[in-house]
Amino acid sequence: MDCASCAMNIERRLKKLKGVKGANVNYATGRAVVEYDEALVAPGNMKDAIEELGYGADIPDEAPKKGKGRMYLHVIGMDSLHCANIVEKALKKAPGVDKFDLNFALEKAVIDYDQGRTDFGRIRKAIVASGYDAELMELGEEVDKEKLAREKEMAGLRSRLIWSAALTLPVLALSLPEMLTGIATIAYPPALASAIPFLQFLLSTPILYINREFFIRGIRQLVRGMPGMDSLVALGVGTAYIYSVATGFGAIAGAVYYETAALLLTFIVLGKYLESVAKGRTSEAIKRLVGLQPKTAHVVRNGKAVDIPIKDVVAGDVIIVRPGEKIPVDGTVLDGDSSVDESMVTGESIPAHKKKGDVVIGATINMTGSFRFRATRVGSDTMLAQIIKMVEDAQGSKAPIQRLADLVAGRFVEAVILLSILAFAYWYFISGQPFAFALTVLVSTLIIACPCAMGLATPTAVMLGTGKGAENGVLIKDAAGLELLHQASIVVLDKTGTMTTGKAVVTDVVPFGVSEPELLRIAASAENNSEHYLAQAMVKKAKERKLKLTEPSSFNAIPGYGIASTLGRTRVLIGNHALMEKEGVAVPAAALKRMYRMELDGKTAVLVSIDGRASGLVAIADTLKEHSGEAIARLRGMGYEVAMITGDNERTAMAVAKQAGIDRILAHVLPEDKANEIKRLQKKGEKVVFVGDGINDAPALAQADVGIAIGAGTDVAIESGSIVLVKSDLRDIVKAIELSRYTMKKIKQNLFWAFFYNSVGIPVAMGVLYPFTGFLLSPVIAGAAMAFSSVSVVSNSLLMRGWKPKR
């Protein structure tokens, strides 16, 4: 850049870039100062733009950001598993890319990268070099961008299909005399007949131009040594077209195949269009979830209700909700009451009654009354936003069963190209068939192969399965969990909060040498700082009886035993018999006998020691949830063994298990040992599903083959387990298993069809039947079969939209 006009050219080029707000280029110093929007353009884009003009450019060290970044890309043209494999290879070679997830069904990439080493411009350059293109998507816009991109793609394919069909029909008409030889006699005037090859050339050439993307991408992939679906199309159609041009213009002797090239492209575009329409329907669950979000909220500001956009609502805002309106964000009711339809989030059809202090979920519908609530979670923190993210992540994940398809698709195209060459060589050089015969075999073999069907078999079913799960309050975090769930042999249920309500109540207070109110007061005071459900039950009972509680001066929780607390100068122990033995407290035999009877009734009984003396018993009961027994009976009816795991002793555990209909119990298991119990079951060859509350049970949820966090409500335990159930209803475990079985059934059907189609179609196209039946597959029929094989797989997955859980 050694002149003012050079600087002006660079400045004009930079200002044309989307996201560049201003540019000042000084040719004397050779520096360019650019003001830009980081979300839309990166320094790498500017460097590429300058280099396109023939100048060099360096980015100063201080320009790039340091640290890690994440970008969301729409990868244009990445519409099959093989395409995704090609992009994956390109990204692995790109410097600065740490890790990435590709979802070819949504044509989406999530990339974690080193901001000091790379940016969008460089990553896009690597993707373009592999035969595709990419555009940046901002976080939160993925679904809208995907929808717009899908609509744009369908509009483009529709236009290409119409023009291709319009031009193919006359090409086909001009071929009728030859095609109907021996069937019917059609004769064109001599002048027209002699011009047919040239007319077909004029009509078919624009069809290739209209669909040039197949050839550009296909040849680029071949050059880079990573052939894909487009490479097969480019080779098959290109061979038929070039041979026709050569014969049509007299370079070699033979027939023309313009109608074959034209029909092949038209059928392929038709298949791509139908596939795009069908794939768009597979992501309807995400679109519906995004559509649930209201646009505005009635927020109280300066004592007045004003309507503001949902994105401007902040935590702490007081919001008014009127009958029939959607609740804009998550929050807690301040005043008023109403019935709220939460079915779109929880799958529960019966409206939930809401009153002061109750939690409301954003995007649910207020039915009858009006109320005010305080916003607690907004933006990406709301339950709906978390569900959308969870479903998106699940739809982008791979099920273990997909590994076979990945393995085959990885070398499928190279194998097909090799087989087509071998088939051509056999028929032409060894069998002695005419060149046109061998060419037909070559083109048919290249065209009939369909790696797309194998690639779409699993992800389309996973997308529908996770979407149906979200509609029914079953949030599936990854495809592996969805697959492994139906393979499990045993379901292990945590007792407290999972099988039971988790809302314990004090049933008995038995004093030894002190009054009953005093025993309860001391026990509740000692437990006042504990969050354990037993402690909360004692504190609640004491407050109901209006007993004055004392704040403990020290408190120590002893896992698996109980607690030690100090009230003034009084030392209090509350826990099991093992704690008393450990601390040297003598317990009367009568007390132990009373404790035994309580435990046989399913109550949790604890001993209270005051200053080293056994002073009483407190019994707490936690009732089974309403539908626990029904859910356990259904699980056993489905062939699963059901076990209960608990920290309670065997007597209490047996009583609860008996009520629930469970035969196998794992009792007296400390919280930190639950994961070890799961591991022991796995060593015996069991496939374990563990169901817990998602907070205290995190290690066990992680250890299990499938971890299910249940009853999380608005406090969804995002990091725990593979599956999250929104409601506290154990019957949703059955629902999740039914969905897993149905999804796997569809995946297996899809994979069978994809492998069956290719394993039968390719040999037939190679001419295997010709020596026995005289049948040789036409390239046109091969193209039609290839075009509709992918559509059939996606259509089979779309049948899942009608799935409903069994009643």
Side-chain angles (χ1 to χ4, degrees), residues 229-250:
M229 183 70 208
D230 294 324
S231 303
L232 295 179
V233 174
L235 287 172
V237 175
T239 301
Y241 177 78
I242 291 169
Y243 179 75
S244 299
V245 170
T247 55
F249 285 91

Side-chain angles (χ1 to χ4, degrees), residues 51 141 160 196 272 301 362 414 450 455 501 596 602 608 624-625 659 662 686 724 732 795-796:
E51 288 175 349
E141 291 186 340
R160 284 162 58 187
I196 282 177
K272 286 283 183 185
R301 295 275 170 89
E414 292 96 325
C450 188
T501 60
Y596 180 79
V608 181
L624 280 176
K625 290 177 182 174
Q659 292 177 45
I662 293 176
E686 302 276 15
V724 177
D732 284 353
S795 298
N796 187 47

Side-chain angles (χ1 to χ4, degrees), residues 268 433 544:
I268 291 166
Q433 294 289 344
E544 285 174 358

Side-chain angles (χ1 to χ4, degrees), residues 35-57:
E35 183 184 358
Y36 65 99
D37 186 344
E38 293 178 344
L40 299 175
V41 69
N45 301 98
M46 303 175 208
K47 183 175 185 294
D48 291 342
I50 293 168
E51 288 175 349
E52 284 173 8
L53 296 175
Y55 307 100

Side-chain angles (χ1 to χ4, degrees), residues 610-757:
I610 302 173
D611 285 333
R613 181 182 174 189
S615 302
L617 274 170
V618 179
I620 297 108
D622 184 9
T623 57
L624 280 176
K625 290 177 182 174
E626 182 183 359
H627 301 294
S628 291
E630 178 192 340
I632 290 162
R634 290 180 66 185
L635 285 170
R636 294 178 67 175
M638 295 169 80
Y640 294 94
E641 183 181 4
V642 182
M644 182 183 79
I645 192 167
T646 177
D648 291 340
N649 60 55
E650 280 199 40
R651 290 187 296 274
T652 303
M654 284 288 289
V656 175
K658 188 177 180 181
Q659 292 177 45
I662 293 176
D663 297 326
R664 187 170 181 178
I665 60 167
L666 304 169
H668 215 288
V669 180
L670 298 178
E672 60 268 27
D673 288 336
K674 287 181 180 177
N676 291 330
E677 287 294 333
I678 300 301
K679 199 179 292 183
R680 271 193 280 274
L681 289 171
Q682 290 170 326
K683 283 180 179 178
K684 293 177 182 177
E686 302 276 15
K687 293 280 187 182
V688 183
V689 175
F690 178 77
V691 187
D693 62 14
I695 302 167
N696 297 326
D697 300 319
L701 285 164
Q703 177 61 43
D705 296 281
V706 181
I708 299 180
I710 188 170
T714 53
D715 297 315
V716 176
I718 297 296
E719 299 304 320
S720 300
S722 305
I723 296 172
V724 177
L725 305 183
V726 177
K727 295 182 293 178
S728 296
D729 193 335
L730 283 181
R731 292 178 300 178
D732 284 353
I733 302 170
V734 178
K735 195 184 292 183
I737 292 171
E738 288 176 351
L739 180 60
S740 170
R741 288 180 171 182
Y742 184 69
T743 304
M744 292 312 301
K745 176 184 171 183
K746 284 296 175 187
I747 288 174
K748 288 173 181 176
Q749 288 173 355
N750 288 345
L751 286 173
F752 172 79
W753 165 247
F755 281 106
F756 176 79
Y757 163 80

